[in-house]
Amino acid sequence: WICRSGHTVIGVCRYCLGELKQISGVRIVENVDVSNESCIAQLAQIDTPIDVLVNNAGVLFRDHLDSLDWEKIRLQFEINAMGPLRVTKALEKQLHSGSKVAIITSRMGSIADNGSGGYYGYRMSKGAVNAAGVSLARDLHPRGIAVALLHPGMVQTDM
């Protein structure tokens, strides 16, 4: 619906699934890895004013105390926590008064709501992105830019 309402939509992804390619009016920028600085530098070249920026990249590796993989934990931080901050910073000049930045997070990043343990890397990375989102909201507020942390509920996607 957003394409039909006259908005410019740019979909940025690592690789484009067939469903995204079928949406008419979407400009697709592929091969963007939010954990890679050179990919993020490419994003800064987008010169279109941005009304709404949705940071949706995410990865989840299931782990438990007896099966911790430090590299996978680090990768979850790179993508889930640092990715939205990198992307927002790279596109900061395209944001304007009235722009909105959305960060897709997870209830699993809540300290108070952790009743089952495990998922160390995912939980920690989502807790970190929540902190980054609050800081972004404070820092961008004087420019009239709103930031929202959004928990979409359980999703069934490849992460």
Coordinates of all heavy atoms in Angstrom, one line a residue, residues 1-12 20 23-29 46-54 91 94-96 99-100:
W1 N 0.8 -1.2 0.0 CA 0.0 0.0 0.0 C 0.9 1.3 0.0 O 0.4 2.3 -0.5 CB -1.0 0.0 1.2 CG -0.3 0.1 2.5 CD1 0.0 -0.9 3.3 CD2 0.0 1.3 3.2 NE1 0.6 -0.5 4.5 CE2 0.6 0.9 4.4 CE3 -0.1 2.6 2.9 CZ2 1.1 1.8 5.4 CZ3 0.4 3.5 3.9 CH2 1.0 3.1 5.1
I2 N 2.0 1.2 0.6 CA 2.8 2.4 0.7 C 3.4 2.8 -0.7 O 3.5 4.0 -0.9 CB 4.0 2.2 1.7 CG1 4.6 3.5 2.1 CG2 5.1 1.3 1.2 CD1 5.4 3.5 3.4
C3 N 3.6 1.9 -1.5 CA 4.1 2.2 -2.9 C 3.0 2.9 -3.7 O 3.2 3.8 -4.4 CB 4.5 1.0 -3.7 SG 6.0 0.2 -2.9
R4 N 1.8 2.4 -3.5 CA 0.6 3.0 -4.2 C 0.3 4.4 -3.7 O -0.4 5.1 -4.4 CB -0.6 2.1 -4.1 CG -0.4 0.8 -4.9 CD -1.7 0.0 -4.8 NE -2.0 -0.3 -3.4 CZ -2.0 -1.6 -3.0 NH1 -1.7 -2.6 -3.7 NH2 -2.3 -1.8 -1.7
S5 N 0.7 4.8 -2.5 CA 0.4 6.1 -2.0 C 1.4 7.1 -2.4 O 1.4 8.2 -1.8 CB 0.2 6.0 -0.5 OG 1.4 5.6 0.1
G6 N 2.2 6.8 -3.3 CA 3.2 7.8 -3.9 C 4.5 7.9 -3.2 O 5.3 8.7 -3.5
H7 N 4.7 7.1 -2.2 CA 6.0 7.1 -1.5 C 7.1 6.3 -2.3 O 6.8 5.4 -2.9 CB 5.9 6.5 -0.1 CG 5.0 7.3 0.8 ND1 5.4 8.4 1.4 CD2 3.7 7.1 1.2 CE1 4.4 8.9 2.2 NE2 3.3 8.1 2.0
T8 N 8.3 6.8 -2.1 CA 9.5 6.0 -2.7 C 9.9 5.0 -1.6 O 10.1 5.3 -0.5 CB 10.6 7.0 -2.9 OG1 10.2 8.0 -3.8 CG2 11.8 6.2 -3.4
V9 N 9.9 3.7 -2.0 CA 10.3 2.7 -1.1 C 11.6 2.0 -1.6 O 11.7 1.6 -2.8 CB 9.2 1.6 -1.0 CG1 9.6 0.4 -0.1 CG2 7.9 2.2 -0.5
I10 N 12.6 2.0 -0.7 CA 13.9 1.4 -1.0 C 14.0 0.2 -0.1 O 14.0 0.4 1.2 CB 15.0 2.4 -0.8 CG1 14.8 3.6 -1.7 CG2 16.4 1.7 -1.1 CD1 15.8 4.7 -1.4
G11 N 14.1 -1.0 -0.6 CA 14.4 -2.2 0.2 C 15.8 -2.5 0.1 O 16.4 -2.8 -0.9
V12 N 16.5 -2.6 1.3 CA 17.9 -2.9 1.4 C 18.0 -4.2 2.0 O 17.4 -4.5 3.1 CB 18.6 -1.8 2.2 CG1 20.1 -2.1 2.4 CG2 18.4 -0.4 1.6
L20 N 9.9 -10.1 -2.5 CA 10.2 -8.6 -2.6 C 10.3 -8.1 -4.0 O 9.9 -7.0 -4.3 CB 11.5 -8.4 -1.8 CG 12.0 -6.9 -1.7 CD1 10.9 -6.1 -1.0 CD2 13.3 -6.8 -0.9
I23 N 7.0 -7.0 -5.7 CA 6.3 -5.8 -5.2 C 6.7 -4.6 -6.2 O 7.8 -4.2 -6.3 CB 6.6 -5.4 -3.8 CG1 6.3 -6.5 -2.8 CG2 5.9 -4.1 -3.4 CD1 6.8 -6.3 -1.4
S24 N 5.7 -4.1 -6.8 CA 5.9 -3.1 -7.8 C 6.2 -1.7 -7.1 O 5.6 -1.4 -6.1 CB 4.7 -3.0 -8.8 OG 4.2 -1.7 -8.9
G25 N 7.1 -1.0 -7.6 CA 7.5 0.3 -7.1 C 8.5 0.3 -6.0 O 8.8 1.4 -5.4
V26 N 9.1 -0.8 -5.7 CA 10.2 -0.9 -4.7 C 11.5 -0.9 -5.4 O 11.8 -1.8 -6.3 CB 10.0 -2.2 -3.8 CG1 11.2 -2.3 -2.8 CG2 8.7 -2.1 -3.1
R27 N 12.4 0.0 -5.0 CA 13.8 0.0 -5.5 C 14.6 -0.9 -4.5 O 14.5 -0.7 -3.3 CB 14.4 1.4 -5.4 CG 15.8 1.5 -5.8 CD 16.3 2.9 -5.8 NE 17.7 3.0 -5.5 CZ 18.3 4.0 -5.0 NH1 17.6 5.1 -4.8 NH2 19.6 4.0 -4.7
I28 N 15.2 -1.9 -5.1 CA 15.9 -2.9 -4.2 C 17.4 -2.7 -4.3 O 18.0 -2.6 -5.4 CB 15.6 -4.3 -4.7 CG1 14.0 -4.6 -4.6 CG2 16.3 -5.4 -3.9 CD1 13.5 -5.8 -5.2
V29 N 18.0 -2.6 -3.2 CA 19.5 -2.5 -3.1 C 19.9 -3.8 -2.4 O 19.7 -4.0 -1.2 CB 19.9 -1.3 -2.3 CG1 21.5 -1.2 -2.2 CG2 19.4 0.0 -2.9
I46 N 22.9 6.9 -0.8 CA 21.5 7.1 -1.1 C 21.2 8.6 -0.8 O 21.4 9.1 0.3 CB 20.6 6.2 -0.3 CG1 20.9 4.7 -0.7 CG2 19.1 6.6 -0.5 CD1 20.1 3.7 0.1
D47 N 20.7 9.3 -1.9 CA 20.5 10.7 -1.7 C 19.0 11.1 -1.6 O 18.7 12.3 -1.8 CB 21.2 11.5 -2.8 CG 20.7 11.1 -4.2 OD1 19.8 10.2 -4.3 OD2 21.2 11.7 -5.2
T48 N 18.2 10.1 -1.4 CA 16.7 10.4 -1.3 C 16.4 10.7 0.1 O 16.8 10.0 1.1 CB 16.0 9.1 -1.7 OG1 16.4 8.7 -3.0 CG2 14.5 9.3 -1.7
P49 N 15.6 11.8 0.4 CA 15.2 12.1 1.7 C 14.4 10.9 2.3 O 13.6 10.3 1.5 CB 14.3 13.3 1.6 CG 14.7 13.9 0.3 CD 15.1 12.8 -0.6
I50 N 14.5 10.6 3.5 CA 13.9 9.5 4.1 C 12.8 9.9 5.1 O 13.1 10.6 6.1 CB 14.9 8.5 4.8 CG1 15.9 8.0 3.8 CG2 14.2 7.4 5.6 CD1 17.0 7.2 4.4
D51 N 11.6 9.5 4.9 CA 10.5 9.8 5.8 C 10.4 8.7 6.9 O 10.2 9.0 8.1 CB 9.2 9.8 5.1 CG 9.1 11.0 4.1 OD1 9.7 12.0 4.3 OD2 8.5 10.8 3.0
V52 N 10.6 7.5 6.5 CA 10.5 6.4 7.5 C 11.7 5.4 7.2 O 11.8 4.9 6.1 CB 9.2 5.6 7.4 CG1 9.2 4.4 8.4 CG2 8.0 6.5 7.6
L53 N 12.5 5.1 8.2 CA 13.6 4.2 8.1 C 13.3 3.0 9.0 O 13.0 3.2 10.2 CB 14.9 4.8 8.6 CG 16.1 3.9 8.7 CD1 16.5 3.2 7.4 CD2 17.3 4.7 9.3
V54 N 13.2 1.8 8.5 CA 12.9 0.6 9.3 C 14.1 -0.2 9.3 O 14.6 -0.7 8.3 CB 11.7 -0.2 8.7 CG1 11.4 -1.4 9.6 CG2 10.5 0.7 8.6
L91 N 22.6 7.0 7.3 CA 21.5 7.7 6.6 C 21.0 8.9 7.4 O 20.0 9.5 7.0 CB 20.4 6.7 6.4 CG 20.7 5.5 5.5 CD1 19.5 4.5 5.5 CD2 21.0 6.0 4.1
Q94 N 20.0 12.0 5.5 CA 18.7 11.9 4.7 C 17.5 12.0 5.6 O 16.4 12.1 5.0 CB 18.7 10.6 3.9 CG 19.7 10.5 2.8 CD 21.1 10.2 3.2 OE1 21.4 10.0 4.4 NE2 22.0 10.2 2.3
L95 N 17.7 12.0 6.9 CA 16.5 12.1 7.8 C 16.3 13.6 8.0 O 17.2 14.4 8.0 CB 16.9 11.4 9.1 CG 17.1 9.9 9.1 CD1 17.6 9.4 10.4 CD2 15.9 9.2 8.7
H96 N 15.0 13.9 8.2 CA 14.6 15.3 8.4 C 13.6 15.5 9.4 O 13.1 14.5 9.9 CB 14.1 15.9 7.0 CG 13.0 15.0 6.5 ND1 11.7 15.1 6.9 CD2 13.0 14.0 5.6 CE1 11.0 14.2 6.2 NE2 11.7 13.5 5.4
S99 N 10.8 12.9 10.2 CA 11.2 11.5 9.8 C 11.0 10.6 11.1 O 11.0 11.1 12.2 CB 12.7 11.4 9.5 OG 12.9 12.0 8.2
K100 N 10.8 9.3 10.8 CA 10.7 8.3 11.8 C 11.7 7.2 11.6 O 11.8 6.7 10.5 CB 9.2 7.8 11.9 CG 8.3 8.9 12.3 CD 6.9 8.6 12.0 CE 5.9 9.7 12.4 NZ 6.3 11.0 11.9

